[in-house]
Amino acid sequence: MSELLQRKTALRTPVPATATPCPREFRGPAGPRAAREEDAEALNLVELFFFAYRDFVGDADRLLENYGFGRAHHRVLHFVHRRPGLPIAALLDILRITKQSLNRVLKQLLDADFVEARAGAVDRRQRLLYPTAQGARLARDLAALQSARFRRVLEELPPEARGAAAAFLFAMIDADERDRVRGHLQRSELGAERR
Amino acid sequence: MSELLQRKTALRTPVPATATPCPREFRGPAGPRAAREEDAEALNLVELFFFAYRDFVGDADRLLENYGFGRAHHRVLHFVHRRPGLPIAALLDILRITKQSLNRVLKQLLDADFVEARAGAVDRRQRLLYPTAQGARLARDLAALQSARFRRVLEELPPEARGAAAAFLFAMIDADERDRVRGHLQRSELGAERR
DNA sequence: ATCTATATGTCAGCTATATTGACATATTTC
DNA sequence: GAAATATGTCAATATAGCTGACATATAGAT
């Protein structure tokens, strides 16, 4: 999984110097000293998050180039590999892009035989997506590259901080999304119901 | 700071089913049981990182829309705000984009009076970038939005995990980049030289 | 003083990835 | 049979990146 980040289209018209200021609750730091320091700490995290993600996605980019694929292909391949039998609608929901955007990329993956689609057994309107053998291989290679970075990080970190990484990332997810995400994770401490 | 993530252009030609397989050291899990479980854990982190980042950048997108700016503007504005007097070359180095790409976005920020450029005092070839008053206001508003997420997360996390978040993100950064990043952080436990 | 290197700007064309809107088809459900 | 659903497709557009070529101003070196 690489960039996995979609573009949000901006409005056409750059707003001149008269743009409406933003509501009070969005305003920057103006409180007392302690709040300011908290803000400085959180600000550093914002920036660290950017750099960490930038380097993280860089790993996969180099491998993807060999196949002529981009980050969009990576995203699709990753989730199809992780959730074999995924219907189109579920994929759209995960990626939060339009079906038109997905279709171009998905068609390339289907044509190049990295992903295949079978009609759903229960609902034949659905096209369930599966990785092909070589699709699965590439997905694994990409995932191995990226999880190598995490493994290195976990080693660098003091033992008591290791579990915290997953908890931290999980807490960063929108609250109303967490259940769905948790359901997809493979038996980890966050996966919970490990029957 | 929002997406802050650049696109890596893919090669033109989608590779057919005959693509060269990737070298052995990139291969997926094939080792013994323990290694597999480590992999599963790291795989979950890969996915969590995606979802966390996806939601994280979503916060700023909504605000940026009001101004007709996109993520590229956010990145520029953020770093200009964070490092006032930043020369063009330094900005290019942080963002890792070409000057042509930067210029389109930067020009819009200059025209809309969110950023201003002054000739360098020591080297007059340089254009040093500063936020204007309204540029600084927007940058603060955006940063406040995003650091609010971090503050919420830090509250949700058990106290002993709080410091771990910054350490984790920092460890995720390429080793040869860390010094430079550290130099920019504002007096935090990672900032080190707090003279 | 001139030559060269550096910092930056700009033009032109291309690519990847997203968007919206409209419409088509197959299948399921009521 | 009608309506709703899952998906595909065509067309136009926007954002944000890229390469390559060339222009200008300033700095530094000989």
Side-chain angles (χ1 to χ4, degrees):
Chain A
M1 184 161 46
S2 178
E3 109 130 350
L4 290 169
L5 241 248
Q6 304 87 40
R7 198 148 319 93
K8 267 290 162 51
T9 350
L11 298 182
R12 308 102 241 145
T13 47
V15 176
T18 55
T20 28
C22 82
R24 182 65 194 91
E25 66 273 23
F26 289 161
R27 286 297 173 72
R33 201 130 185 6
R36 286 269 194 93
E37 303 224 334
E38 251 185 37
D39 255 14
E41 157 121 40
L43 257 183
N44 280 340
L45 286 173
V46 169
E47 210 151 303
L48 283 173
F49 206 32
F50 162 58
F51 288 115
Y53 201 81
R54 182 193 65 174
D55 291 346
F56 168 70
V57 301
D59 287 342
D61 286 336
R62 288 166 219 123
L63 182 51
L64 285 163
E65 274 180 21
N66 301 336
Y67 293 83
F69 290 142
R71 290 174 183 176
H73 304 87
H74 187 187
R75 287 195 282 270
V76 171
L77 184 59
H78 171 92
F79 286 108
V80 167
H81 181 237
R82 213 56 203 287
R83 299 146 172 74
L86 191 71
I88 301 280
L91 186 51
L92 289 175
D93 194 54
I94 290 171
L95 299 177
R96 292 192 183 160
I97 57 175
T98 58
K99 64 179 171 176
Q100 295 91 326
S101 294
L102 172 60
N103 232 277
R104 181 181 30 83
V105 167
L106 179 57
K107 193 159 11 181
Q108 289 170 4
L109 285 169
L110 290 166
D111 288 350
D113 198 36
F114 280 75
V115 169
E116 70 176 29
R118 309 176 202 154
V122 20
D123 183 341
R124 290 181 39 80
R125 287 171 305 180
Q126 287 188 322
R127 294 178 75 209
L128 308 184
L129 303 174
Y130 295 87
T132 63
Q134 71 168 340
R137 179 152 38 87
L138 177 54
R140 271 198 309 272
D141 291 342
L142 288 163
L145 255 189
Q146 294 195 305
S147 53
R149 179 179 292 263
F150 277 107
R151 270 186 265 108
R152 193 210 71 206
V153 165
L154 293 183
E155 274 166 29
E156 281 180 30
L157 250 41
E160 67 280 7
R162 286 181 198 158
F168 161 69
L169 289 178
F170 192 71
M172 285 289 291
I173 298 173
D174 283 346
D176 56 355
E177 288 282 323
R178 288 182 208 165
D179 283 349
R180 205 164 6 144
V181 169
R182 184 164 29 218
H184 290 308
L185 296 181
Q186 288 166 4
R187 73 216 94 85
S188 80
E189 63 288 358
L190 285 166
E193 74 284 298
R194 183 202 295 243
R195 101 211 118 240
Chain B
M1 183 160 48
S2 175
E3 111 132 347
L4 290 170
L5 241 247
Q6 303 88 38
R7 197 147 318 92
K8 266 289 163 49
T9 351
L11 298 183
R12 306 104 240 145
T13 47
V15 175
T18 57
T20 29
C22 82
R24 181 67 194 89
E25 66 272 22
F26 289 161
R27 288 297 175 71
R33 201 127 183 12
R36 286 270 194 94
E37 303 224 335
E38 251 184 37
D39 255 12
E41 157 120 41
L43 257 184
N44 279 340
L45 286 173
V46 168
E47 209 150 304
L48 284 173
F49 206 30
F50 163 58
F51 288 116
Y53 201 79
R54 182 194 64 175
D55 291 346
F56 168 70
V57 301
D59 287 342
D61 286 336
R62 288 167 219 123
L63 182 51
L64 285 163
E65 273 180 21
N66 301 336
Y67 293 83
F69 290 142
R71 291 175 183 175
H73 304 87
H74 186 186
R75 287 195 281 272
V76 171
L77 185 58
H78 172 92
F79 286 108
V80 167
H81 181 237
R82 216 45 207 290
R83 299 144 173 74
L86 192 70
I88 301 282
L91 186 51
L92 290 175
D93 194 55
I94 289 172
L95 299 178
R96 292 192 185 159
I97 57 174
T98 58
K99 64 180 172 176
Q100 296 92 326
S101 294
L102 172 59
N103 232 277
R104 182 173 29 78
V105 168
L106 179 57
K107 195 162 6 184
Q108 289 170 7
L109 286 169
L110 290 165
D111 289 350
D113 198 38
F114 281 75
V115 168
E116 71 177 28
R118 308 176 202 155
V122 20
D123 184 340
R124 289 183 40 80
R125 288 172 304 180
Q126 288 187 323
R127 294 178 73 209
L128 307 184
L129 303 174
Y130 295 86
T132 62
Q134 71 168 343
R137 178 153 37 87
L138 177 54
R140 272 198 309 273
D141 291 342
L142 287 164
L145 255 189
Q146 295 195 305
S147 52
R149 179 178 293 262
F150 278 106
R151 269 186 265 109
R152 194 210 70 207
V153 165
L154 293 182
E155 274 167 29
E156 282 181 30
L157 250 42
E160 67 281 6
R162 285 180 200 161
F168 161 69
L169 290 178
F170 192 71
M172 285 288 292
I173 298 173
D174 284 346
D176 57 355
E177 286 283 321
R178 290 183 206 164
D179 282 350
R180 204 162 10 140
V181 170
R182 184 165 28 217
H184 290 310
L185 296 180
Q186 286 167 5
R187 74 218 94 85
S188 80
E189 63 288 357
L190 285 167
E193 75 282 297
R194 181 202 298 240
R195 100 206 120 244

